[in-house]
Amino acid sequence: MADEQHYDVIIIGTGAGGGTLAHRLAPTGKRILILERGDYLPRERDNWDSIAVFVKGKYRAREFWYDKHGNEFPPEVNYCVGGNTKFYGAALFRLRPEDFGELRHHDGISPAWPIRYEDLEPYYTQAEQLYLVHGRHGEDPTEGPASGEYPHPPVEHEPRIQQLSDDLEKKGLHPFHLPIGVNLAQDENGRATHDSVCIRCDRVDGFPCLIGAKSDAQVICVDPALEHDNVTMVTGANVRRLETDPTGRTVTRVVAELEDASTQGFSADIVVVACGAVNSASLLLRSANDKHPNGLANSSDVVGRHYMRHNNLALMAVSKEPNPTKFQKTLALHDWYLGSDDWDFPLGGIQMLGKSDADQIHGEAPRWAGAVTPNMPFEMIAHHAVDFWLCGEDLPLPESRVTLFKNGDIHLALDEKNNIAGLKRLQHKLQGMLGHLGMHEHHLLSHSIYLHKGMPIGATAHQAGTVRFGTDPRSSVLDVDCKAHDLDNLYVVDTSFFPSIGAVNPSLTAMANALRVGDRLIERMR
C-alpha cells in the first residue's frame, strides 16, 4: 500500500456537503484532495430516458442493503461525481426557524439543534446565491427572515400550475413558488430565452441533467474547485477505513480501494467525511480499532443511530382538463407545516413533482394503474396527471439505525410507521380539495415510482441523522462545528449531522452547513 503525498485536507464524497466544502476551500491555496467513490456520470441520451432512469435504474448503485428482517433491498443511492445531487429535484428549501427548536409531534419530540436558524441564515443566503436558486422570499408564511433576496426570480408557473395556484389562493391558502436551483433565464412570458442553459424541460426531477443546467454539486462546486491547481480529485476511490495514530485522537491515513482493485493510502492534516448519512456512519463503524472499539468517534454509541429520511408520499391526481405542463416543479404549499385548525401537531408540506410520462406510469402499471383506471390508457393518465410530493417529518429514534454485518454489508433498521399520522392528515387535506382544484375527486393515485416498487425503505434520497452534532459528547458524535468529539482532525459535513430533519428537502441545509464548516476550517488552517 503506497502512500500519496500529504495534503492539508481530504474530503471524502462530492455531494451537497463534500462538493460544497471543496468549493469553499479551493481558493485558500491549501492542498486539497477529493476522494469520490464513483466517476463522472456518462453524458448520454439515457440520462433523459424514463425507462433507463426509473424503470431499469441504470445509474443506481449496484448494491443491496438489508432491512431489519434481513431482507435485501436496492437503496436509492448514486455513486458519481456530484453524488445524489445529480438526480435530485433541486428543490432548495431552508428549514423553518421552528425546526431548529424542540417541536412536539403526535408520536414524540423532534429535538432542538445546538445552533439557531439565525446562526445558519447567512450561509443559507450564500448557498442560495451559489446554487442559482430561483424563488421569492416572503411568499411562504412559514419561512424565516432572509438577509438577502434569491439571486434569481422564481421559475414561472405554466398555465395549469398557475391555475392550481389561483385555485388554492381562492381557498384562503398560501401557495408559493418552489425554490429551485436551475441555470435558467426567462423571457417576459416565463419561457427559456435563447441563451438560457436550462430549457424548461420535463426532466429536472429524478434525472441527471444532460446539458448541465441543474444546480448539482458537480456542476456548481466540484468542477470549479478543480480549476484551482491546489485541488486534486481521485475518482473510483472507495474509502474502506480511516486509521488513527496510537492515541486514537488523530486520523493519520485514509485507506481506499481503487478501480484496479489496488489499495491506496492518503494522509492529511484534516479529514472530512461526506459520504451520505448511511455510508458515513458505515465508514466510521468499519474503522473501529483498539482505541475506538465501537467504531471511530463512537464513544457515545450514537454513530449509525437516529436515521431519518422523511415520511414521504408521491401522489398523482388526475386533472379533468389536460395538463400539458413540462416544467411542473414550481409550486409548494406549507399552510399546514406546523399544524392546522383541527390538529395541534405538524403535518408537513406539499410540493409539485416533476411531470410524469407514460413510460414512468407504465413501468409501475402492475401495482395500481389497471385496478384504479381500467379504461384509461397510460398515455391518457400521463396527459392528465398532476404530480404531488407530500413530505412529513419522521423522528430520530435510536433504534432506527445503521449497523454492519460481519462481512461489512449494511444493515438498516427503520420504523416505517414512525410519526405518520400527520402525513395521513396532509393526504386527507389534499384529497378533500381535489374537486375544487379541477381534478377528479377519487383519482388520487399512489405513485410508487418514487418509492421503488413498493419498498419504501429503499427511498433513501433524504437520508440524515446518523452522526448527529451537539454539545454533549455523551449524546452526539460531533461538536457544533461538526468536528468529532473524540478526534482532533475529523469532520463530517453531509446530512449525517442533522439532529432532526424537519419536513423540507435537506439539500440546502447541507450546503449551507458545509459553507459554515468551511469557514471554521479556513480559520483553523490559518
Side-chain angles (χ1 to χ4, degrees), residues 103-104 169 267 473 484 513:
L103 269 179
R104 183 171 297 278
E169 286 187 359
S267 65
N513 183 66

Side-chain angles (χ1 to χ4, degrees), residues 267-283:
S267 65
D269 294 340
I270 296 170
V271 174
V272 183
V273 174
C275 312
V278 173
N279 279 307
S280 288
S282 300
L283 174 59

Side-chain angles (χ1 to χ4, degrees), residues 502-513:
V504 291
N505 310 52
S507 299
L508 187 73
T509 301
M511 295 160 179
N513 183 66

